[in-house]
Amino acid sequence: MSMSHLYGTDGDDGVEMESFEVSDWDLQNEFNPHRQRHRQTKEEATYGVWAERDSDEERPSFGGKRSRDYSAPVSFVSAGLRKGAAEELSDEDSDEDEKPGKQEEIPKEFVPKKLKTGGNFKPSQKGFVGGTKSFVDFGSWERHTKGIGQKLLQKMGYVPGRGLGKNAQGIINPIEAKQRKGKGAVGAYGSERTSQSLQDFPVVDSEEEAEEEFQKELSQWRKDPNGGKKKPKYSYKTVEELKAKGRINKQLAAPQKELSQVKVIDMTGREQKVYYSYSQISHKHNIPDDSPQQPLGKDSKPQGFALPELEHNLQLLIDITEQEIIQSDRQLQYERDMVVNLSHEIQKMAEVLSHEEKAISNLSKVLDMVEECERRMQPGCENPLTLDECAKIFETLQDKYYEEYRMSDRVDLAVAIVYPLMKEYFKNWDPLKDCTYGTEIIAKWKSLLENDQLLSHSGQDLSTDAFHRLMWEIWMPYVRNIVARWQPRNCGSMVDFLDSWVNVVPVWILDNILDQLIFPKLQKEVESWNPLTDTVPIHSWIHPWLPLMQARLEPLYSPIRSKLANALQKWHPSDSSAKLILQPWKDVFTPGSWEAFMVKNIVPKLGMCLNELIINPHQQHMDAFYWVIDWEGMISVSSLVGLLEKHFFPKWLQVLCSWLSNSPNYEEITKWYLGWKSMFSDQVLAHPSIKDKFNEALDIMNRAVSSSVGGYMQPGARENIAYLTHTERRKDFQYEAMQERREAENMAQRGIGAAAGSVPMNFKDLIQTKAEEHNIVFMPVIGKRHEGKQLYTFGRIVIYIDRGVVFVQGEKTWVPTSLQSLIDMAK
């Protein structure tokens, strides 16, 4: 059974394809109320014609069940009745006759290719199923599918590389997506149009314009009920509206102004026209239509009165008038702005003019005063100008005409007027006889002429500061002359002169005097000084310069020390003149250089003197000892203690031992001991080495008293010696306590903070701090010592401290121990 009325046959491979055309069977069954109605399933509603159906749900069977290829292209035809077989044959014959001509007219690349059924990719094809490779790999993803989309497009006439639509007016590239910056609404971050969108749709109309355009297009399909042309609508504008329009159009951007100068050729009409800006095209008026007249119909009415040329000219006149009104308004606004600007300029110029007139009047008065001074400066004038009167004139200039005075060249004015008067004033001046002469007048001129804005410390400012130039050219020559005739040993007058002028003279001029004039004279005099022959001590004419010169005298100290050392080579401590010469230099020399000088030149002489000292308790000569002790303030305590330990105490202890071995009188020994101890100052006695030596003498005396048990003993000797020992050691303890109290008071006065005060200053303070931390009692034992060292109780333990080491009392001897071990023992 042939189903040619329902299924078409492909001419190439004879595969039957279901046709979607309206057939006779469709028409017959359309009006059959008893036909079997097909209810659409869910799958058919989703996939449409591509839904899979069972054989029972299809149309009445026409030959049994067969497989279908849903990837085959769909052939659409225009709606209508299917032709009969005879008509189709005749149409095919006519089509065959017309085919050659049609194929020649249509380009080959635009003819859609005939599609094969099935979606398999064949080796003979150069592209994927559904047509050739599209423009810029369009739809390249379909190579992995059956290509139904491409086949549908080509079936409907789509050509790769061209747009959709009847005239290929659609877009070629797919729609681009633009990612929004944030999570705001559409348009919250500005325009979201892509470059392709701007290229395809350059103009974006608003919704109102789009609505108007839609209504306009819709009205074209409607018939005008009046049957005639619409009447033109006229818009009337006032002069104010034209002015506002002109102000808006005036605010053109730079690119628009550049485009307004472009030459444009318009070839849209019958004749070629040339415009010189795009604005002329936009303001172009409709010219009477040059198109041929359409023949009048039966219902059309001829125009009774039509003058298109006149209308065109009138429109041009109206536009020209509008432009003239706008231009006049702009010119009027410009003139008004110009009037306001000129009024402000007139006001400013009036202020400047008044200021200039005032300045001219002030300058004229200043000029009159200066000319009056010059007239009185001329020789032979009846009323010559004095220095005090000139100072008053300059004070007037400074007070009343301050700006003019500061702006003027004071250097030239002072050179012309003040300098001659100043030379006359100092003509007969002797600085050494009258050192304060002229200080007041110079101080007054300093306030008048010195430039406060310049810190003048060098001679480079002479051209800009009148006062410094005055001092350098007028005052300085007198100082040079007097210094050249001055003797350095007569320093009093020169020192007084410079002291009186130190606050008036500029700093750089005073430095020049001291460095270039005074110091060379002093250096030359020091080189010629001889301490052995000169009767005038050198400190008498060097030390007065210390307040003025200070560190400038350092180069003189080295040759002075060298000459003093040469003079002391043959000196003996019995000569007290050396101390008188050296004593003023102790505070002048640095401590290091002074100590080195003493150790090199004085201490060896004193050691020789102590070696010559003979200690004889019965007939003692103390001159040599006095010569040495007299230098106690000159040499350091450590140097003096070293001399006593090396040259005095060995002989003194030896004499004491020999005296104790010959049945001595202990009262005389006690007096002898106390007498020698009184010869030393408290500062020397406080030194640990001196304490040790005197304690050693007490120990020798105690051993001597305790060893002579069987022999004769002077009555009361043992008690006297014990009392002496107890008294001397109690004095030492009291002295130490007093020294500690003084140190504590000094620390309190210095304002040492709690943090600094908590830091131990010595080993004893460290032990005290540790005892407080562990709640251990640490206190001295009053009146008890061991080898001159104070004994302390640390809890129940008796200790003493010697040179940063703690000694604990053992069974027989004193044992050194650590601080932690001491704490453990006390606990």
Side-chain angles (χ1 to χ4, degrees), residues 520-546:
K521 299 278 288 185
L522 293 176
Q523 189 175 22
K524 186 176 180 181
E525 192 67 22
V526 168
E527 290 176 357
S528 62
W529 171 68
N530 188 356
L532 297 177
T533 58
D534 288 345
T535 57
V536 179
I538 190 172
H539 65 269
S540 63
W541 48 273
I542 292 292
H543 288 185
W545 291 104
L546 288 172

Side-chain angles (χ1 to χ4, degrees), residues 236-265:
Y236 300 95
K237 297 181 181 179
T238 62
V239 176
E240 298 299 329
E241 292 177 352
L242 289 176
K243 292 179 181 179
K245 179 182 177 183
R247 294 190 186 97
I248 294 173
N249 294 337
K250 185 179 179 181
Q251 300 175 353
L252 293 175
Q256 293 177 348
K257 292 182 180 179
E258 294 176 359
L259 292 174
S260 63
Q261 306 298 328
V262 177
K263 183 178 179 181
V264 182
I265 300 175

Side-chain angles (χ1 to χ4, degrees), residues 738-751:
M738 184 176 62
Q739 288 296 111
E740 292 179 357
R741 190 180 305 110
R742 288 178 182 176
E743 291 178 1
E745 290 177 357
N746 293 334
M747 291 173 62
Q749 290 176 359
R750 291 172 189 171

Side-chain angles (χ1 to χ4, degrees), residues 261-512:
Q261 306 298 328
V262 177
K263 183 178 179 181
V264 182
I265 300 175
D266 185 10
M267 302 182 67
T268 57
R270 179 176 294 178
E271 298 179 357
Q272 177 178 338
K273 298 179 182 180
V274 178
Y275 299 98
Y276 293 95
S277 67
Y278 288 112
S279 60
Q280 293 183 2
I281 297 178
S282 62
H283 292 88
K284 180 176 64 173
H285 297 280
N286 293 329
I287 303 175
D289 192 6
D290 296 334
S291 60
Q293 294 291 336
Q294 297 291 339
L296 296 174
K298 294 180 180 181
D299 298 335
S300 62
K301 296 180 181 180
Q303 283 185 328
F305 182 79
L307 294 175
E309 293 83 357
L310 180 59
E311 292 178 0
H312 174 68
N313 293 335
L314 287 176
Q315 187 64 37
L316 288 178
L317 290 174
I318 292 171
D319 293 342
I320 292 172
T321 306
E322 289 181 0
Q323 295 297 325
E324 289 178 355
I325 293 172
I326 293 172
Q327 189 67 24
S328 300
D329 178 65
R330 291 178 181 175
Q331 186 67 25
L332 179 60
Q333 187 64 33
Y334 172 76
E335 297 295 339
R336 288 176 180 172
D337 295 341
M338 184 62 69
V339 169
V340 174
N341 291 336
L342 290 177
S343 63
H344 288 297
E345 289 292 333
I346 291 172
Q347 185 178 359
K348 290 181 180 179
M349 295 306 295
E351 295 176 358
V352 173
L353 182 61
S354 63
H355 180 72
E356 294 293 337
E357 290 177 353
K358 183 179 179 181
I360 291 171
S361 63
N362 292 339
L363 287 175
S364 61
K365 294 178 182 178
V366 171
L367 184 61
D368 294 339
M369 296 176 68
V370 173
E371 289 177 352
E372 179 66 19
C373 292
E374 291 181 353
R375 186 185 63 79
R376 295 178 64 182
M377 289 288 296
Q378 298 296 329
C381 181
E382 297 178 357
N383 186 17
L385 185 67
T386 62
L387 195 60
D388 292 335
E389 293 177 350
C390 185
K392 292 180 180 179
I393 292 173
F394 272 78
E395 287 179 355
T396 304
L397 292 175
Q398 189 178 26
D399 295 338
K400 294 185 178 180
Y401 311 104
Y402 181 78
E403 293 295 333
E404 291 76 9
Y405 181 74
R406 288 296 177 188
M407 292 171 59
S408 62
D409 193 354
R410 287 173 286 171
V411 177
D412 297 337
L413 186 63
V415 169
I417 299 175
V418 182
Y419 285 15
L421 298 176
M422 196 67 70
K423 286 183 180 180
E424 186 66 22
Y425 183 78
F426 286 106
K427 182 171 64 174
N428 298 321
W429 175 49
D430 188 357
L432 297 181
K433 292 181 180 180
D434 189 3
C435 59
T436 60
Y437 178 79
T439 54
E440 296 181 358
I441 192 69
I442 291 296
K444 183 185 295 184
W445 280 106
K446 180 179 181 181
S447 62
L448 293 174
L449 298 178
E450 190 173 23
N451 194 345
D452 298 335
Q453 298 178 356
L454 295 176
L455 298 176
S456 302
H457 296 290
S458 63
Q460 299 176 356
D461 297 325
L462 290 177
S463 60
T464 56
D465 196 293
F467 176 73
H468 289 204
R469 184 174 176 181
L470 170 68
M471 296 298 294
W472 182 257
E473 296 182 358
I474 305 301
W475 183 82
M476 195 64 183
Y478 294 100
V479 177
R480 290 195 189 97
N481 293 333
I482 197 65
V483 171
R485 294 183 283 108
W486 166 68
Q487 294 297 325
R489 300 197 180 193
N490 299 325
C491 63
S493 59
M494 184 60 68
V495 171
D496 293 339
F497 164 69
L498 292 179
D499 283 337
S500 61
W501 284 87
V502 69
N503 295 324
V504 181
V505 178
V507 176
W508 66 272
I509 294 180
L510 181 62
D511 293 341
N512 182 271

